[in-house]
Amino acid sequence: MTSISAFTIVVGFDGSEHSQTALSWAMDEARQRDGQLRLVTAWNKAPMAWYPAVLETAAGEIAAEESPEQIAGTLQAEALKSAADEGVTATGQVVPSDSPASAILDAAQDADLVVVGSRGHGGFPGLHLGSVTTQVISHAPCPVLVVRPKAT
């Protein structure tokens, strides 16, 4: 028995500008391929340098202070709604993990493509590629597309 599954695109999503751009690109690709998205948002309990920045939602509203898990869930819910609004089938995983790259790589085991932003919230602003993106590129079991926001 042969089973043909939909083209699956895993998207690493942390709510950053870069991950928003990656999500947008992945939604366009999923539409063209009649595919589906699998969004992965990793969080941990350790203090994060970007923690206060995520209190601003994608819509520009300031959210009440929440735990990292609640923030990750809220960010992902907004991303899933965006996909649904665009007519793209999407599922999500909010994963407790000290390694966002590992969470993305785990989700990509049966994927056709991984799409990530060139960097997320953390690290150093001058870097062209963040550490999570570098790890995903180096270890993914399928092709990886790195999306950068357009220059302003």
Side-chain angles (χ1 to χ4, degrees):
M1 176 159 139
T2 304
S3 172
I4 298 175
S5 60
F7 191 87
T8 302
I9 303 172
V10 170
V11 182
F13 187 80
D14 66 1
S16 66
E17 175 188 3
H18 292 255
S19 71
Q20 295 280 355
T21 304
L23 174 61
S24 178
W25 193 96
M27 286 190 297
D28 288 342
E29 187 70 12
R31 265 194 307 276
Q32 291 178 27
R33 294 182 178 264
D34 196 25
Q36 63 187 9
L37 301 181
R38 184 181 306 150
L39 305 179
V40 178
T41 304
W43 65 276
N44 66 36
K45 293 181 182 178
M48 296 169 253
W50 56 267
Y51 180 79
V54 253
L55 293 177
E56 183 175 344
T57 68
E61 301 164 343
I62 302 298
E65 190 166 334
E66 301 171 327
S67 72
E69 181 179 17
Q70 290 169 320
I71 291 170
T74 299
L75 288 170
Q76 189 168 94
E78 290 175 0
L80 289 169
K81 183 179 180 325
S82 292
D85 290 348
E86 294 290 324
V88 176
T89 301
T91 59
Q93 298 172 278
V94 177
V95 182
S97 177
D98 290 336
S99 171
S102 292
I104 294 167
L105 293 168
D106 288 346
Q109 290 305 309
D110 63 346
D112 297 293
L113 177 67
V114 175
V115 179
V116 291
S118 55
R119 49 176 290 105
H121 288 289
F124 302 96
L127 290 179
H128 292 286
L129 285 180
S131 60
V132 171
T133 300
T134 301
Q135 288 178 36
V136 170
I137 291 168
S138 300
H139 301 288
C142 61
V144 177
L145 177 75
V146 178
V147 182
R148 295 184 61 191
K150 290 183 180 180
T152 55

